[in-house]
Amino acid sequence: MEEIKISIVVPLYNEEAVFDKLIERISNVINQTNFTCEVILINDGSKDKTPFLIEQLCKKDKRFTGVLLSRNHGHQLAVTAGLNYVRGTEGAMIIDGDLQDPPELINEFYSLMQEGYDVVYAVRKNRKESDLKKFAYWIYYRLQQKISNFTIPIDSGDFSMISRRVVDTMNEMPEQSRYLRGMRSWVGFKQKAFEYDRDERQAGQTKYSWKKLFELAFNGIFNFSDFPVRIITRLGLLTILLSIFYFSYIIYNKIVNHNVPQGFTTLIFAIILFSGVQLLSLGLIGEYVLRIYNQVRNRPLFIIDKIIQAGEEKDKK
Ligand code: UDP
Ligand code: MG
């Protein structure tokens, strides 16, 4: 058997309506590539015929591997499961199962990888979703980019091709709440944006409820940003500063104008001051929590591109 170069990872949750079309498009694509591909279909606990269809297909066509999860684990974990079974020696392509991401782009992605990129990620030029969703995505991606600890590209989803070493590194990241597009950027190496038009879902309904979207967004923010905790400390400092200004203002008024109302100025001052102290304390505890979080998340401390030793490039392992 020829060596598998690229594994195409496709998560599927209740996608019976689009399944045949999907397999037809993907089959056409892998028949034409000049490198060998396998396709990993993950059933994410579908309640429809999807697992049955996957099993049937994988039993008769060896290029397809089925990974059937015990229940619905969510998109990110379904892809994670798929990435664990990647046999492609050069890497994997991650695509949605509803044909919003054209599988035909595999050739373009692959040739960019040949040019030395480790990650080619697709960026949506336009979306064909409801205006409300578009707006929510617009705000979210910009907010995320502003506050994350390193740059996570705007408007890029999981649709991408990643090299073998990126697959391996992501598989070695044991974090429980997974935000793959963030992890993919975090890994580093040379990454390339590829603009494309996102198609409409070919059949069936979106499997991402608002609840699932919010969960994803939360992971995107809290897994890659210290900002929410740091803002508390800053707010605390600001409040304490405010109380000092207020105090000075009262003293000034007392000495110069003699018209300070009796009784409640001390009260207000105390309330502002101690609100500030409490916020600051919360922020400080938050700092420790952040450190604990970083430690237990157990991401690799560094990722090596190459080592040049004794005048020669060394294999990193
Ligand atoms: N998906 C999944 N598990 C889920 C939700 C979605 O495996 O719990 C899959 C789904 O079958 C599709 C992909 O993830 O292949 C993207 O989902 P969807 O198209 O519904 O999301 P949208 O494009 O609307 O954001
Ligand atoms: Mg979709």
Side-chain angles (χ1 to χ4, degrees), residues 96 98 100 198 201:
D96 277 2
D98 56 356
Q100 283 194 285
R198 186 151 159 96
R201 172 175 261 282

Side-chain angles (χ1 to χ4, degrees), residues 2 14 48 150-151 174 235 238 260 316:
E2 255 186 275
N14 296 342
D48 65 358
F150 61 97
T151 321
L235 219 63
L238 211 72
V260 180
K316 72 175 166 110

Side-chain angles (χ1 to χ4, degrees), residues 296-313:
V296 299
R297 194 165 40 186
N298 216 5
R299 284 182 185 160
L301 291 181
F302 47 81
I303 298 150
I304 288 169
D305 182 6
K306 50 179 110 163
I307 295 169
I308 298 144
Q309 200 169 45
E312 266 177 65
E313 206 172 292

